[in-house]
Amino acid sequence: MLPLQGVKVLEIGQNLAGPYASEILGMLGAEVVKIERPEGDDARGWGPPFHAGIACSFHAVNRNKRSIALDLKDKAAQAWLREFLRGQDIFVQNMRPGSLEAFGLGAEAVRALNPRLIYCSLHAFGAKGPMALKPGYEPIVQAFAGMFSVNGLAEAPPARVGMQVLDLGTGVWAALGCLAALQRRHHTGEGCTVDTSLFETGLGWMAQHVAGFNESGRQPPRHRTGNPKLIVFQAFDTADGEIVVAAANDRLFAKFAAVLGHPGWGSDPRFRTNADRIAHRDILLPLLEAAMRTRGSEAWSAALEAAGIPCSPIHDLAAVTAHPQTAALGIMQPMPGYGLEGVGLPVSFDGERPPVRQGAPALGEANAALGAPLPKPR
């Protein structure tokens, strides 16, 4: 039995953040119904690549759902939706600020219909404040939250993080908030309103940088692979490639120095502690870089792993998806109904990962089954 079996979720979501939140709940066993505009979620067209006429990015965050195509400007559709919401446990939405309120589907109105409902909204900049009604996409909010400022090469312009870390992260926070609200409802019998946003997620991911800035008043330096607070914690060129090394404490640094053939560096007063290494980074890093270039990546990996020093080659997607560790975890799962495989939920229960029970739904495939009015031709 999956943890959320029997929980009913309605999603009015688009793009990534809202759909990912409800997909997490669906992967955990909830029954998820996705409401889409008559023309469908924009993300259906976010390709190439496409599979079965649907963008692969849409497949990735819309599994274990049923789709209803609904024109919310239609009074009959609004009436059906309000009645349907009476039987739901969770409502997830990330529509443009104010749009659902215009149809009488804001949090206050909907929770008056169903006091046990958990109404979860994913915003760009937050539920309140001077920017509450401002829309925003991933790169906009990454830039606003300061994430560009700590990412990229020191000598290059600031750069965005190369994945949808705010969209997907906000989806995780939304799902976590819904689960906490379900637990509270178990005790109180009442639902609540859950709010999160891409901006809050960005600030959350930046917490360590913000704490350091509040103490020092200095902007953290950018580093392509490293960490301004830790040495050794970065990629090095080898004789035939690159390898990331994380000798992230004084004991591991001493082992690393020994593997490099320079055991004295571990007791050198300039390098003995992390603070010492940071203070003398301009001396230490060239020494480490020169030593690492003397052997190939495979040889260094073997030597470092034998010494218990965390390290890794820099994989591309072909390498990581084909790796035996990926296979052993069973995290790559087929999408029923499609010849496509995707990443499953990154959590297991009693050693079992929740399965993908259904691939991404066709637009409006559940209208008839759930008695929803069909959109009128335009």
Side-chain angles (χ1 to χ4, degrees):
M1 178 177 176
L2 292 171
L4 295 185
Q5 189 168 323
V7 173
K8 295 182 178 180
V9 178
L10 180 71
E11 172 211 312
I12 303 184
Q14 59 184 351
N15 304 335
L16 289 180
Y20 188 54
S22 63
E23 185 191 65
I24 292 170
L25 300 174
M27 295 285 266
L28 291 171
E31 302 170 26
V32 181
V33 174
K34 178 183 180 73
I35 304 294
E36 301 186 63
R37 296 188 303 274
E39 61 271 25
D41 185 338
D42 288 340
R44 287 183 178 272
W46 281 10
F50 294 93
H51 182 85
I54 301 172
C56 290
S57 58
F58 182 89
H59 282 289
V61 296
N62 285 284
R63 295 164 291 183
N64 294 338
K65 301 179 185 180
R66 304 171 78 182
S67 170
I68 288 179
L70 213 59
D71 183 357
L72 291 181
K73 296 177 182 178
D74 181 355
K75 297 295 185 183
Q78 293 176 24
W80 177 88
L81 185 54
R82 289 192 187 94
E83 188 60 32
F84 191 73
L85 278 164
R86 293 180 187 274
Q88 300 299 296
D89 296 295
I90 298 172
F91 180 26
V92 175
Q93 70 90 13
N94 71 324
M95 304 302 288
R96 189 180 181 91
S99 61
L100 291 185
E101 284 78 2
F103 299 126
L105 295 169
E108 185 176 350
V110 170
R111 290 195 58 225
L113 292 172
N114 180 357
R116 288 177 53 81
L117 183 73
I118 294 156
Y119 190 109
C120 179
S121 297
L122 295 83
H123 310 268
F125 291 97
K128 56 188 175 182
M131 299 179 69
L133 296 181
K134 184 178 176 66
Y137 285 91
E138 175 85 24
I140 304 299
V141 186
Q142 278 197 29
F144 188 85
M147 295 177 69
F148 278 39
S149 75
V150 298
N151 194 52
L153 290 167
E155 64 274 16
R160 68 162 286 184
V161 178
M163 58 165 287
Q164 304 297 104
V165 64
L166 295 186
D167 278 320
L168 300 179
T170 303
V172 174
W173 286 120
L176 182 59
C178 289
L179 295 178
L182 276 176
Q183 177 66 12
R184 189 173 81 169
R185 192 183 76 176
H186 176 72
H187 296 289
T188 67
E190 292 189 3
C192 69
T193 300
V194 175
D195 289 296
T196 185
S197 70
L198 275 67
F199 180 45
E200 290 165 277
T201 298
L203 290 176
W205 295 160
M206 292 283 287
Q208 289 181 298
H209 287 304
V210 170
F213 173 78
N214 285 341
E215 171 62 27
S216 68
R218 293 193 297 271
Q219 171 71 27
R222 294 194 303 280
H223 193 292
R224 183 173 70 88
T225 62
N227 185 311
K229 300 178 179 66
L230 284 176
I231 295 179
V232 176
F233 206 76
Q234 67 182 77
F236 292 97
D237 288 327
T238 69
D240 59 6
E242 284 185 290
I243 186 171
V244 177
V245 180
N249 59 47
D250 301 337
R251 299 177 302 281
L252 286 172
F253 176 74
K255 290 182 179 181
F256 183 44
V259 171
L260 293 178
H262 296 276
W265 290 347
S267 56
D268 189 312
R270 298 171 298 173
F271 312 142
R272 187 179 298 121
T273 69
N274 185 67
D276 296 330
R277 295 190 290 277
I278 294 291
H280 297 94
R281 65 186 306 140
D282 292 342
I283 298 171
L284 177 57
L285 287 178
L287 296 174
L288 299 177
E289 290 163 355
M292 289 294 292
R293 284 194 291 267
T294 62
R295 302 173 71 183
S297 296
E298 189 172 333
W300 279 126
S301 291
L304 292 168
E305 288 175 2
I309 299 167
C311 64
S312 176
I314 297 177
H315 281 154
D316 59 14
L317 293 182
V320 70
T321 54
H323 198 280
Q325 179 62 22
T326 305
L329 291 171
I331 194 170
M332 300 301 296
Q333 296 179 327
M335 300 183 190
Y338 300 99
L340 188 64
E341 194 174 55
V343 178
L345 198 67
V347 65
S348 299
F349 299 90
D350 296 326
E352 295 293 327
R353 191 177 309 280
V356 178
R357 304 183 305 281
Q358 176 185 327
L363 176 62
E365 48 82 28
N367 276 65
L370 296 176
L374 292 171
K376 297 174 183 177
R378 294 186 177 181

